[in-house]
Amino acid sequence: MSLSVIFLIILGLGAVAFFAGRARGNLFDPAVGAAAGERPHSRPVYHGWYVALAAILPALLLLTAWSFMQPRLLDAGIVASMPAADQPKTQIDRDAIIDEVKGLASGELQDAFNPASKAAVPVYEAARQRLTLGALVAAVMIGLAGAGWAYTRLRPDFRARTRVERIVMGILIAASLIAVLTTFGIVLSLLFESLRFFKTVSPIEFLFGTQWSPQTAIRADQAGSSGAFGAVPLFWGTIFIGAIIAMAVAIPFGLMSAIWLTQYAPAKLRSVLKPLLEILAGVPTVVYGFFAALTVAPALRDFAFAVGIPGASSESALAAGLVMGVMIIPFVSSMADDSMAAVPQAMRDGSLAMGATPSETIKRVLVPAALPGIVGGVLLAVSRAIGETMIVVMAAGLAANMTANPFATVTTVTTQIVTLLTGDQEFDSPKTLSAFALGLVLFVVTLILNIVALRVVKKYREAYE
Amino acid sequence: MTEMATNAQTVTPSAATDAVTTKMTARDVSVFYGAKQALKSVSIDVSRENVVAFIGPSGCGKSTFLRCLNRMNDTVASARVEGEIKLDGEDIYSAQMDVVQLRARVGMVFQKPNPFPKSIYENVAYGPRIHGLAKTRADMDNIVEGSLRRAGLWEEAKDRLQESGTAMSGGQQQRLCIARAIAVDPEVILMDEPCSALDPIATAKIEELIDDLRGKYAIVIVTHNMQQAARVSQKTAFFHLGTMVEYGDTSTIFTNPTEPRTKDYITGRYG
Ligand SMILES: Nc1ncnc2c1ncn2[C@@H]1O[C@H](COP(=O)(O)OP(=O)(O)OP(=O)(O)O)[C@@H](O)[C@H]1O
Ligand SMILES: [Mg+2]
């Protein structure tokens, strides 16, 4: 019997508790029960739910805690059961033996490398059964106790409905807290690892240094003095690709497509094209990455050679930026579309009634009126572009150059993070830790961009409500 | 060009009926939204001397007809207009008619004030800019000042011309919209319930303004307010269920209507 079976048993217990509670609640009906004439506070279902929740929730909490503890107790039990001579000396040996014992017990392993493991299997099995049985008994007892306690509280004037509502609210809050806490934890770990990095490399050097070559810093004594962790070229590459080239593509095309879609396209065409454009936003970025690396980049390189542009590379900033821009077009377009649709029709009519042409109306009234919304959308797009990883990993280079030549190769923050963390790495060298510092910078920048953008958009929405 | 007629126009409404210069004529105008007919064969004349009021219960087609007069119905994809509407004898629905020019000649003021989110100055300068009416900055200043004066807004607005038009009060906004409409020097001004979002004082100002503008512009106003129609108009048209039931001198319509339906509506028996 496993913990999941116990889980089902507890649910069954909850069901029984529900029916018991509801049956009790039914007795409170003034037509039936002893307390005739007095209207009960809550309907019978709520009495049922109250008893059921009182049975299930504490038992589940116990079960959760138990499922964390049980493996640890078992492991300790396995090791303790072995004769002193066979006891593992190192952590690695210990893990190996424990895995072996578990493998033998589950039948995944036929034979053991360590003879001591075989001997430990029956011990392990017995301990497991004992612990699981203990869990079952404890959970059922707690469930019964909870249900019993709740059942005795039921009375016609007992506020079961209010309590159930409150419990439901508590569950919902807990669920939303999980997402928030996880994010918080990620940020904390990012912060923590970054601090470790900044112990070896000064933040000033990291943020303002112009030399980036983490590979040379394998020897720890070299890291601080070599100036190899100046991230400015990375920041520049990120801005060059994500905020300059990509936006130079995405803003005009996104805006124009939004204008055409909202103002000119016949309703039927619009109803087909708009979802189509939104599907484009759902294409996995790795596909765009292929396209950038295999089609656009070589073409641009050949073009640059043909025209005689110096420094052209087959991993050009332009290739990554262009494709990223195309990827962002639907995003910009749909943000601009939304903000233009939010401009009241009356404004448009007012302009048209003055004898303005549609394009004059768009240029002089619609776009200016929608501008805050559009700007907010563009900021969100920038924050997406600088955090975008796949396209730049595939199409941008690794060389940390500070160049404004779009045909040359540059590297970005996300590309570096990926290269720093993939493959076999020690997790405490400055080289690896620098990835966390980069991640932190990226996180802070996109966070600020998002906050600013959302505030701009919100203010704009309020202006028309 | 009709300055003389303008100056002569101080006579009582009923007497004005004879000596008018017709500006717009509508003959047998019907409007369909898709398959649904919203307006049935309406005919009417509009002149500078007489403000025309459209009254009638909600949904009877007043706005629909008004929007035919400057072809704003073109912006509604499903709308189809039949019949004939002429401005100075020119068919406005003919292929030769340029909508942009038509709308410069036939201005419109909407039910809800809809200033552009620009400065007061830019709101008024919008039309003249589009139509290239001002050669120099000074010309434009003149047009803006003149329009604001005629709309009775100059005194309130002259010190805050660069402030946003949307920051004004509702009544001021509506007068700004009127100033914006007259800045392009139109011949006809259409007003669709211009006071329905305003308080009585702002309403009184607009009514005064309409009276001042009469003679210089041909004015058509849609209103749900009987007293307002009686106060500002010389001619009244009563619409019901897409037809124009009765059209005549305002004084006659309000005191002695021919149609029983008109009488019922005016006395408040329905609508
Ligand atoms: N864009 C449209 N599409 C379809 N039907 C419309 C449209 N606009 C108006 N209608 C219909 O045409 C009829 C006349 O509408 P209209 O707006 O002219 O009425 P109205 O007299 O101005 O009413 P109100 O006093 O409420 O403004 C109504 O039945 C309305 O439902
Ligand atoms: Mg209307």
Side-chain angles (χ1 to χ4, degrees):
Chain A
M1 186 166 33
S2 66
L3 289 180
S4 49
V5 176
I6 303 181
F7 176 70
L8 290 179
I9 291 178
I10 289 182
L11 284 191
L13 186 68
V16 174
F18 173 79
F19 288 116
R22 197 179 60 172
R24 182 96 190 268
N26 277 331
L27 294 182
F28 299 147
D29 195 315
V32 186
E38 194 192 344
R39 247 180 83 85
H41 173 272
S42 306
R43 282 172 45 226
V45 222
Y46 285 107
H47 291 284
W49 274 116
Y50 179 68
V51 179
L53 287 171
I56 294 174
L57 287 182
L60 281 190
L61 277 181
L62 174 90
L63 210 58
T64 315
W66 199 286
S67 65
F68 279 111
M69 298 244 301
Q70 180 159 328
R72 249 153 255 183
L73 291 176
L74 282 176
D75 291 356
I78 292 175
V79 177
S81 74
M82 294 181 169
D86 293 345
Q87 295 259 337
K89 311 268 174 313
T90 65
Q91 180 69 34
I92 296 176
D93 286 346
R94 186 175 186 268
D95 290 349
I97 287 189
I98 288 170
D99 278 348
E100 227 173 21
V101 173
K102 284 184 183 165
L104 286 170
S106 67
E108 270 170 41
L109 290 182
Q110 250 64 58
D111 210 358
F113 174 75
N114 190 330
S117 301
K118 231 174 193 152
V121 171
V123 183
Y124 168 76
E125 280 291 356
R128 201 172 70 92
Q129 269 172 21
R130 218 170 337 109
L131 279 174
T132 314
L133 195 67
L136 174 66
V137 173
V140 169
M141 297 261 285
I142 285 200
L144 282 176
W149 173 75
Y151 189 82
T152 54
R153 294 188 74 192
L154 299 186
R155 289 157 41 80
D157 61 353
F158 179 69
R159 299 174 172 256
R161 169 164 44 80
T162 329
R163 275 164 210 274
V164 169
E165 281 302 327
R166 219 175 288 159
I167 295 171
V168 167
M169 194 180 76
I171 293 174
L172 294 180
I173 289 177
S176 45
L177 271 184
I178 285 178
V180 175
L181 288 181
T182 310
T183 316
F184 195 66
I186 292 172
V187 174
L188 272 190
S189 88
L190 211 54
L191 208 62
F192 181 69
E193 302 290 343
S194 304
L195 283 181
R196 282 177 63 193
F197 171 71
F198 288 130
K199 271 186 200 137
T200 39
V201 179
S202 94
I204 308 270
E205 189 204 326
F206 174 72
L207 288 176
F208 301 106
T210 54
Q211 203 64 39
W212 178 266
S213 58
Q215 310 301 341
T216 62
I218 291 172
R219 293 208 313 279
D221 56 311
Q222 222 181 6
S225 55
S226 72
F229 285 104
V232 170
L234 273 52
F235 299 151
W236 163 247
T238 307
I239 292 170
F240 193 38
I241 291 182
I244 298 179
I245 300 178
M247 288 305 128
V249 175
I251 294 173
F253 286 99
L255 262 187
M256 285 191 279
S257 85
I259 287 173
W260 184 74
L261 275 177
T262 51
Q263 306 302 320
Y264 292 96
K268 262 195 195 141
L269 206 57
R270 177 182 154 88
S271 67
V272 176
L273 283 179
K274 200 167 171 340
L276 211 65
L277 207 62
E278 269 149 22
I279 288 173
L280 216 62
V283 174
T285 54
V286 68
V287 177
Y288 285 103
F290 276 142
F291 181 61
L294 301 181
T295 313
V296 180
L300 283 174
R301 182 203 50 208
D302 294 347
F303 168 79
F305 278 134
V307 195
I309 298 169
S313 155
S314 60
E315 292 181 322
S316 60
L318 194 56
L322 284 181
V323 174
M324 195 189 283
V326 171
M327 182 192 87
I328 304 270
I329 287 176
F331 187 73
V332 172
S333 167
S334 105
M335 290 293 292
D337 191 322
D338 288 349
S339 20
M340 280 195 290
V343 176
Q345 175 73 18
M347 211 88 91
R348 229 184 114 213
D349 281 353
S351 172
L352 290 174
M354 300 285 305
T357 63
S359 71
E360 281 168 342
T361 302
I362 289 162
K363 198 173 68 190
R364 291 168 185 262
V365 175
L366 222 55
V367 172
L371 200 60
I374 296 173
V375 168
V378 166
L379 287 183
L380 286 182
V382 170
S383 110
R384 269 185 75 150
I386 65 176
E388 157 55 36
T389 309
M390 219 51 224
I391 293 177
V392 283
V393 165
M394 295 175 80
L398 287 176
N401 292 325
M402 292 259 274
T403 172
N405 177 0
F407 290 96
T409 179
V410 297
T411 191
T412 71
V413 171
T414 47
T415 316
Q416 287 300 320
I417 293 179
V418 170
T419 34
L420 288 170
L421 291 186
T422 44
D424 294 333
Q425 309 286 355
E426 312 170 55
F427 262 78
D428 47 5
S429 73
K431 179 189 163 192
T432 321
L433 288 177
S434 68
F436 293 101
L438 288 175
L440 186 68
V441 172
L442 200 59
F443 174 78
V444 170
V445 171
T446 49
L447 187 72
I448 291 174
L449 275 176
N450 277 302
I451 290 174
V452 171
L454 289 180
R455 294 198 69 163
V456 169
V457 171
K458 184 162 166 261
K459 250 196 157 152
Y460 159 73
R461 292 248 180 280
E462 280 164 3
Y464 291 119
E465 266 155 21
Chain B
M1 48 187 170
T2 33
E3 284 303 306
M4 293 208 327
T6 316
N7 294 338
Q9 186 52 50
T10 39
V11 280
T12 53
S14 51
T17 350
D18 335 321
V20 296
T21 46
T22 305
K23 194 74 207 164
M24 293 192 90
T25 57
R27 290 291 171 268
D28 293 326
V29 175
S30 299
V31 181
F32 302 82
Y33 289 112
K36 193 181 131 222
Q37 186 161 12
L39 207 62
K40 289 167 203 145
S41 196
V42 172
S43 301
I44 208 169
D45 286 351
V46 178
S47 71
R48 272 176 215 247
E49 288 76 12
N50 297 318
V51 173
V52 181
F54 291 175
I55 60 171
S58 197
C60 64
K62 305 179 297 289
S63 302
T64 299
F65 183 55
L66 200 70
R67 290 163 62 88
C68 289
L69 298 178
N70 68 344
R71 288 184 57 176
M72 276 304 277
N73 278 335
D74 291 14
T75 62
V76 179
S78 65
R80 183 162 56 83
V81 179
E82 283 178 3
E84 185 189 70
I85 301 177
K86 286 184 170 168
L87 173 65
D88 282 340
E90 244 182 297
D91 184 358
I92 67 168
Y93 279 92
S94 79
Q96 283 80 33
M97 178 54 75
D98 179 20
V99 190
V100 166
Q101 266 171 23
L102 170 72
R103 289 185 191 147
R105 292 170 68 189
V106 184
M108 189 163 207
V109 175
F110 295 82
Q111 173 171 4
K112 234 179 112 212
N114 60 347
F116 303 130
K118 298 170 180 285
S119 70
I120 296 174
Y121 185 96
E122 283 304 318
N123 260 286
V124 183
Y126 185 79
R129 259 208 187 114
I130 285 174
H131 298 293
L133 299 185
K135 300 257 174 327
T136 64
R137 175 85 200 184
D139 279 356
M140 187 59 88
D141 288 349
N142 279 337
I143 293 179
V144 171
E145 180 176 343
S147 312
L148 284 172
R149 272 190 197 286
R150 262 183 286 162
L153 197 60
W154 177 248
E155 289 307 320
E156 288 150 85
K158 67 178 175 200
D159 297 325
R160 44 188 291 204
L161 288 177
Q162 296 313 319
E163 280 172 40
S164 173
T166 48
M168 303 177 100
S169 77
Q172 290 174 325
Q173 286 188 15
Q174 195 61 300
R175 277 180 286 150
L176 179 62
C177 291
I178 295 176
R180 185 176 74 186
I182 57 189
V184 291
D185 205 24
E187 297 155 39
V188 183
I189 301 179
L190 311 173
M191 301 189 180
D192 195 348
E193 301 181 41
C195 302
S196 62
L198 305 183
D199 70 81
I201 295 174
T203 302
K205 282 213 169 118
I206 304 261
E207 287 178 6
E208 221 173 280
L209 175 61
I210 292 173
D211 216 45
D212 288 345
L213 297 176
R214 176 161 71 92
K216 178 137 176 56
Y217 309 100
I219 297 174
V220 184
I221 176 172
V222 174
T223 178
H224 276 287
N225 181 332
M226 295 306 134
Q227 286 83 25
Q228 183 170 64
R231 280 192 302 259
V232 302
S233 74
Q234 285 71 45
K235 295 270 190 183
T236 297
F238 172 62
F239 286 75
H240 186 231
L241 296 177
T243 54
M244 192 174 75
V245 176
E246 193 168 352
Y247 176 52
D249 288 346
T250 300
S251 47
T252 323
I253 297 259
F254 278 94
T255 52
N256 193 14
T258 359
E259 288 278 332
R261 275 188 289 172
T262 316
K263 194 169 174 204
D264 286 350
Y265 182 70
I266 284 167
T267 53
R269 222 160 290 167
Y270 71 81

